[in-house]
Amino acid sequence: MESTESSIGVQQYWQILKRRWLPASAVFGTVLILTVLKIILQKPVYQAEAKLAFTKTNPTSSLTGLGKEIGDLSGIVEQTNPLNTEVEVIRSVPIAQKTIAQLNLKDKKGETLKVRDFLKKLIVFNTRGTDVVALSYQENDAKTAAAIVNTVIALYLANNQRVNHSSATSAREFLE
C-alpha cells in the first residue's frame, strides 16, 4: 500500500514539473550560474603548516648530574599538559608582535596587522598522544603564509634557546 502512495507522489511531482518546466529551469539555471561565478571569483586561500617535536631532555640536569626527573616535561599542577604551555608560548603576544614587525604584515586597509587578527589565523595545537605541536596559518598568498609559519617557529626556537641558555648559565654559576 505504501509503495503505491509513494509512486503516486512521484507521478504527481513529475506532472507538476512537466507543467512548470520553464520556471523550474530558470531557477536551476540561475542557481547554477551564481554558484559558478562564486567559485570563479573566489580568491585562493593557502595554508602553511609546520610541526615541532619535543624531547624530555634538560641541559641543566645533564650538567649537574642531579635528578634525571628534572628534565621531564611536567606541569606544576597534576592535570596540566606541558605541551599546552608550549602552545601558549608559541601563541604569545611577544612572538606575534615580533612576527608582524619582522615581516611588516599589513591588513586589507594597509595598516599594520593587529595581534588579535594575526592570532585568529594562527592555529596551534598539540597532537593527541604525541609530543608534537603543529601550527598552521592561512593566507591568500602562499609565500606569505610560509614566511609567517617559518618566522613564528624561528622566533619560538630563539626564545626557547635563550631560556635554556640562561638555565644552563644559572646551573654553571651554581656549580662554581
Side-chain angles (χ1 to χ4, degrees), residues 103-131:
L103 296 175
N104 195 21
L105 298 175
K106 305 285 184 187
D107 61 6
K108 293 178 182 177
K109 298 176 184 175
E111 299 173 1
T112 302
L113 188 64
K114 292 185 171 49
V115 172
R116 69 184 150 128
D117 295 333
F118 175 80
L119 291 176
K120 283 181 186 176
K121 291 182 174 182
L122 182 66
I123 300 169
V124 184
F125 60 95
N126 60 335
T127 307
R128 184 180 291 210
T130 66
D131 290 334

Side-chain angles (χ1 to χ4, degrees), residues 131-160:
D131 290 334
V132 174
V133 171
L135 63 131
S136 66
Y137 193 86
Q138 291 185 347
E139 185 65 34
N140 292 337
D141 181 34
K143 290 181 181 179
T144 304
I148 288 170
V149 168
N150 290 335
T151 303
V152 167
I153 287 180
L155 290 172
Y156 168 75
L157 291 175
N159 179 55
N160 197 22

Side-chain angles (χ1 to χ4, degrees), residues 157-174:
L157 291 175
N159 179 55
N160 197 22
Q161 187 177 17
R162 185 175 38 83
V163 168
N164 287 340
H165 179 62
S166 66
S167 173
T169 302
S170 298
R172 182 182 51 86
E173 289 172 359
F174 172 75

Side-chain angles (χ1 to χ4, degrees), residues 90-107:
I90 293 170
R91 289 185 50 84
S92 67
V93 172
I95 289 181
Q97 287 173 335
K98 288 177 185 176
T99 303
I100 292 169
Q102 191 171 345
L103 296 175
N104 195 21
L105 298 175
K106 305 285 184 187
D107 61 6

Side-chain angles (χ1 to χ4, degrees), residues 31-104:
V31 170
L32 183 67
I33 289 172
L34 290 175
T35 303
V36 168
L37 283 175
K38 174 73 174 169
I39 291 171
I40 290 173
L41 297 176
Q42 190 174 23
K43 292 181 179 178
V45 176
Y46 299 96
Q47 181 172 339
E49 297 179 351
K51 293 183 180 182
L52 291 169
F54 291 89
T55 59
K56 295 182 180 183
T57 60
N58 186 346
T60 305
S61 64
S62 63
L63 284 175
T64 60
L66 301 173
K68 296 294 182 187
E69 67 278 351
I70 294 174
D72 289 346
L73 282 175
S74 61
I76 295 173
V77 181
E78 191 74 23
Q79 295 87 11
T80 63
N81 182 353
L83 291 179
N84 290 340
T85 304
E86 298 304 320
V87 166
E88 291 304 316
V89 170
I90 293 170
R91 289 185 50 84
S92 67
V93 172
I95 289 181
Q97 287 173 335
K98 288 177 185 176
T99 303
I100 292 169
Q102 191 171 345
L103 296 175
N104 195 21

